[in-house]
Amino acid sequence: MTLIVAVFAVMVSSTLNRWANDVSPIGSVDTFDANVESVQLDHGRGIYLVSIENGSSVLIDDDRPHLIGSRTSIERVTRDNGFVFYRFVN
């Protein structure tokens, strides 16, 4: 029973944190050139491993197809609350 309560508490906390990040305004957007290295499909969406020109790598969740090995542009989005995420440029 304790395990069920703990799992439920973690799920609620995670959901509330995600909602807080979604309502925080975007503070800055920086654009980078990158290469698509690999993809893992998950329920019709792709989770892409992308290497940035400075040598670091990030994961980007996207529902549009991107060719492995292709050059692309990505954006680092920073919200006012400090939350950072990456996305493909539209």
Side-chain angles (χ1 to χ4, degrees):
M1 181 66 174
T2 304
L3 179 62
I4 293 172
V5 171
V7 169
F8 182 74
V10 168
M11 288 175 29
V12 169
S13 174
S14 174
T15 301
L16 291 175
N17 189 26
R18 188 176 320 119
W19 287 341
N21 288 331
D22 287 345
V23 298
S24 178
I26 292 175
S28 67
V29 177
D30 302 307
T31 303
F32 300 96
D33 290 327
N35 289 324
V36 177
E37 299 294 332
S38 66
V39 63
Q40 176 156 355
L41 298 177
D42 183 34
H43 302 289
R45 296 184 62 87
I47 301 172
Y48 294 89
L49 176 64
V50 178
S51 64
I52 303 174
E53 59 191 6
N54 67 7
S56 59
S57 296
V58 295
L59 293 173
I60 302 176
D61 182 20
D62 199 23
D63 57 355
R64 298 170 294 168
H66 301 277
L67 187 61
I68 294 174
S70 65
R71 297 268 307 149
T72 188
S73 293
I74 62 170
E75 296 174 334
R76 179 180 60 207
V77 180
T78 306
R79 294 197 179 270
D80 283 346
N81 66 357
F83 181 74
V84 176
F85 67 94
Y86 292 85
R87 66 185 179 194
F88 288 102
V89 174
N90 292 333

